[in-house]
Amino acid sequence: VAENNHTLILGFGDRVLEIIRELVIANESEKKPAVVVLSEREKDEMDDFLRERLPDTKNTRVVTRSGSTSSIHMLRRVNATGAKSVVILNDAAIDAGDDEKTLADARVLKTILALISCTGEDNAPPIIAEFHYRNMRNLAKNILPGKISLIDEHSILARLMVQTSRVSGLAQVYDNLVGFEGCEFYFYKPQGGIKGLKYSEVIFRFADCSVLGLRMSDGTIKLNPSPGSVCGDDEVILLAEDDSMIKFLKEPVAVNPPEAKGYLPHPKSVENQLIVGWSGKTSTILAEYRNYLAKGSKIDVIVPEIAEYMKREFASIQKKQAGIKMRLIEGDIHSPATIVKLKPEQYDNVIILSADGGDSELRDSETIATLLQFRNYFKTSVRNDVRTQLITEVADSENIEVIQEAGVKDFLISNQFVSKIYAQVSEEPDVLTIYADLFSEEGSEVYVKPVSRFLSKIPENITFGELCAAAIKRNETCFGVRLRSEETDITKHFGIYVNPPKSRVFSLTENDWLITLSEDDT
């Protein structure tokens, strides 16, 4: 191909459509951008697939070529050396057999080696690759340190499900963060730098961008550092609609700090969680809860039939969960009698997992049927207000409204979510470090907290800049607002406003929330 400085996608897996869709959005301000796809599928088949599902690629040229992704000859034909980044997709589904996944991982590894052979180690573009098994992931990481980004889909989704179960609305916040529609992550260093400024001062040097943290001079990512931290030769991590919106002000944005509350920690409370179904994410979810739950908390997992591998994995995790009660239950969740026996109202959250792999419509249909069972139970059998949250995955984004109709406020569009991360990392590899930090229990994470925790009294009108000033007094970085009155309105992004201008005025009530980076949920 004649393209240069293009994004090269090797393989034609489930993610290819969402990745290209995101890159089309990212490329709108670029001059003659291109995405090149090399796969062993027939060219006509790929072209028809993309033309049918993505008829408008705007200013992005999408080129497909048929051939082996591990052939040095074919990699030269698609100008791998001239690519700005390379995305390698795994051609084995998550529900494939071990032999098939092992072989697919080996093919990805072979493709990485072919790429390096084609371009040379020094000239290799950033590579983003997908593996099923950790040992292969670790092997790939050491081939070319610093050049290869590895995305662990199950780990990301499992951790996000756990965080979402504990912070209502978080899934929709992340949906606003990932991808190129709306806001993007940027690393920015103003002319003259920020040396000598405190982090709390840097926040107010940007009128139309939200500061999230710093990339230190040694490359370390630090989200939500201490307000009094003095900056060195560092870069600012920003959320911005576009790089044209990034303007470093010589003087800070003028705000009148409201009467704000200080930081008042409180102990963790005992929680009860129910997980419905078993997938590749279940073990990670169970293990991840260890970082959040207080002693005396309970986690139950219900599956239609307990397989031997489930017993082994469950028992292994159970041994490490000191002080947390865990049960693996066998039962037909589609039977009303089973739900009555479970008493779902005793749980803080019910996480309904989608099966691995398979047709997305069938998976969502099964999820919707399960949700309807729970909704019917809550309507007919529970008289008091139900505080139990229903949380689930959605395979096809077209089913969102149906999922909401079944009583779910928190849902994760899993394939689309991970695909957007792939697209972002292909444009800026260090974005993966930000996500790794956000999804880790250590350090600061994203929280959606009642505005009453920040303000001693809630004024009739308040600017976003003033809300940022209130948050920083609690050692938190505010980057958004969530309005309860709009939380079910898909046309208004479920009431979520990420990165509004600091001059934006909000009329808040005690039922609304701030979206912040914080070290805990207090």
Side-chain angles (χ1 to χ4, degrees):
V1 299
E3 277 67 27
N4 194 51
N5 199 34
H6 53 291
T7 303
L8 176 59
I9 300 175
L10 302 178
F12 205 80
D14 293 341
R15 304 196 192 292
V16 70
L17 182 66
E18 293 291 348
I19 292 174
I20 295 176
R21 182 178 281 130
E22 285 299 308
L23 291 173
V24 166
I25 296 170
N27 288 335
E28 284 188 76
S29 60
E30 301 294 322
K31 187 177 181 181
K32 294 183 179 180
V35 176
V36 178
V37 182
L38 172 63
S39 165
E40 294 187 4
R41 293 198 187 190
E42 292 295 327
K43 175 177 168 54
D44 290 345
E45 180 187 352
M46 292 187 282
D47 288 341
D48 289 344
F49 177 88
L50 293 173
R51 193 180 301 114
E52 179 183 338
R53 292 164 177 80
L54 196 61
D56 182 13
T57 59
K58 300 182 180 179
N59 63 323
T60 298
R61 176 171 153 80
V62 179
V63 180
T64 63
R65 290 290 182 267
S66 183
S68 171
T69 59
S70 59
S71 163
I72 296 175
H73 170 67
M74 287 305 303
L75 291 172
R76 286 176 179 150
R77 286 193 62 187
V78 294
N79 193 17
T81 305
K84 65 178 178 181
S85 63
V86 180
V87 178
I88 306 174
L89 299 179
N90 197 300
D91 58 10
I94 194 64
D95 59 343
D98 288 341
D99 290 345
E100 185 179 345
K101 288 193 286 190
T102 299
L103 184 59
D105 277 5
R107 281 196 291 266
V108 173
L109 200 61
K110 183 181 177 184
T111 298
I112 292 174
L113 293 173
L115 260 174
I116 295 170
S117 179
C118 175
T119 63
E121 289 190 11
D122 294 337
N123 298 317
I127 299 168
I128 303 95
E130 181 180 28
F131 288 92
H132 288 289
Y133 295 114
R134 182 179 298 174
N135 62 328
M136 297 294 275
R137 208 176 289 124
N138 292 337
L139 190 60
K141 192 183 297 182
N142 294 322
I143 292 176
L144 202 59
K147 278 288 183 81
I148 301 177
S149 300
L150 303 169
I151 296 177
D152 185 351
E153 172 191 352
H154 272 182
S155 178
I156 287 175
L157 293 177
R159 290 175 179 179
L160 184 53
M161 292 290 281
V162 170
Q163 290 184 12
T164 298
S165 73
R166 308 188 70 255
V167 183
S168 180
L170 191 59
Q172 281 69 52
V173 173
Y174 271 118
D175 190 54
N176 276 259
L177 283 178
V178 299
F180 297 104
E181 193 168 12
C183 297
E184 305 170 38
F185 292 116
Y186 289 92
F187 297 97
Y188 177 75
K189 188 174 183 180
Q191 188 175 6
I194 56 172
K195 192 171 183 178
L197 289 177
K198 293 179 181 178
Y199 176 68
S200 57
E201 295 172 327
V202 173
I203 288 175
F204 297 98
R205 291 298 184 97
F206 297 88
D208 300 306
C209 308
S210 291
V211 175
L212 298 183
L214 303 170
R215 178 161 66 178
M216 318 302 279
S217 54
D218 63 357
T220 305
I221 299 291
K222 182 65 176 176
L223 299 177
N224 184 41
S226 171
S229 298
V230 178
C231 301
D233 189 24
D234 309 321
E235 292 176 285
V236 185
I237 301 173
L238 294 171
L239 267 181
E241 285 187 18
D242 189 76
D243 55 5
S244 63
M245 301 295 291
I246 302 175
K247 292 181 176 63
F248 183 76
L249 305 175
K250 291 182 179 179
E251 298 296 328
V253 174
V255 297
N256 295 316
E259 190 177 333
K261 295 182 178 179
Y263 177 71
L264 295 173
H266 66 262
K268 293 180 179 179
S269 58
V270 172
E271 300 175 28
N272 297 323
Q273 311 288 351
L274 174 64
I275 299 171
V276 179
W278 193 283
S279 74
K281 293 180 280 295
T282 306
S283 294
T284 307
I285 288 173
L286 292 172
E288 190 70 11
Y289 265 126
R290 180 177 61 229
N291 299 319
Y292 295 93
L293 299 185
K295 287 185 178 180
S297 295
K298 180 175 73 173
I299 307 174
D300 289 341
V301 181
I302 184 167
V303 295
E305 185 178 352
I306 300 176
E308 283 301 318
Y309 75 91
M310 295 180 190
K311 285 183 182 178
R312 288 194 301 270
E313 290 183 30
F314 190 84
S316 174
I317 295 168
Q318 196 173 29
K319 290 177 183 177
K320 302 172 185 176
Q321 298 279 33
I324 297 175
K325 303 169 188 175
M326 296 179 63
R327 292 189 303 168
L328 182 59
I329 306 167
E330 188 172 275
D332 179 10
I333 205 67
H334 297 300
S335 166
T338 301
I339 294 186
V340 169
K341 190 176 179 180
L342 269 177
K343 294 183 179 178
E345 68 273 18
Q346 70 175 301
Y347 298 97
D348 296 286
N349 301 287
V350 176
I351 299 178
I352 299 169
L353 295 178
S354 179
D356 289 327
D359 181 76
S360 60
E361 189 60 39
L362 288 175
R363 288 159 58 198
D364 281 353
S365 296
E366 176 69 19
T367 299
I368 291 167
T370 303
L371 287 169
L372 290 174
Q373 291 284 358
F374 279 98
R375 188 181 73 165
N376 184 60
Y377 171 81
F378 287 133
K379 278 189 172 182
T380 59
S381 303
V382 183
R383 294 182 181 178
N384 299 325
D385 290 339
V386 178
R387 296 188 177 182
T388 303
Q389 290 189 120
L390 296 176
I391 300 154
T392 192
E393 298 175 72
V394 185
D396 190 336
S397 57
E398 292 185 3
N399 291 320
I400 289 175
E401 290 187 22
V402 182
I403 294 284
Q404 282 186 297
E405 193 64 31
V408 178
K409 291 181 183 176
D410 296 298
F411 51 83
L412 177 64
I413 311 170
S414 50
N415 179 53
Q416 187 183 77
F417 183 84
V418 177
S419 298
K420 286 181 176 182
I421 293 178
Y422 268 90
Q424 278 193 324
V425 175
S426 73
E427 294 289 298
E428 172 52 78
D430 265 3
V431 166
L432 189 58
T433 313
I434 295 177
Y435 284 120
D437 202 304
L438 289 175
F439 295 135
S440 170
E441 188 269 339
E442 297 177 358
S444 292
E445 303 163 48
V446 178
Y447 288 96
V448 184
K449 300 185 179 184
V451 68
S452 57
R453 292 193 192 175
F454 300 87
L455 301 175
S456 299
K457 62 178 182 178
I458 301 173
E460 185 175 338
N461 295 302
I462 188 168
T463 67
F464 181 63
E466 290 167 340
L467 293 173
C468 291
I472 205 69
K473 287 190 177 181
R474 283 173 46 94
N475 300 331
E476 300 185 40
T477 299
C478 181
F479 64 92
V481 172
R482 184 187 181 205
L483 304 180
R484 181 182 285 276
S485 61
E486 300 173 4
E487 67 177 351
T488 60
D489 191 340
I490 191 172
T491 64
K492 294 183 178 179
H493 301 286
F494 308 103
I496 290 168
Y497 294 84
V498 168
N499 184 40
K502 290 187 174 62
S503 59
R504 169 76 183 264
V505 176
F506 287 95
S507 299
L508 301 179
T509 72
E510 61 181 12
N511 296 319
D512 298 320
W513 302 270
L514 297 191
I515 304 167
T516 73
L517 287 175
S518 173
E519 291 194 357
D520 54 46
D521 60 355
T522 57

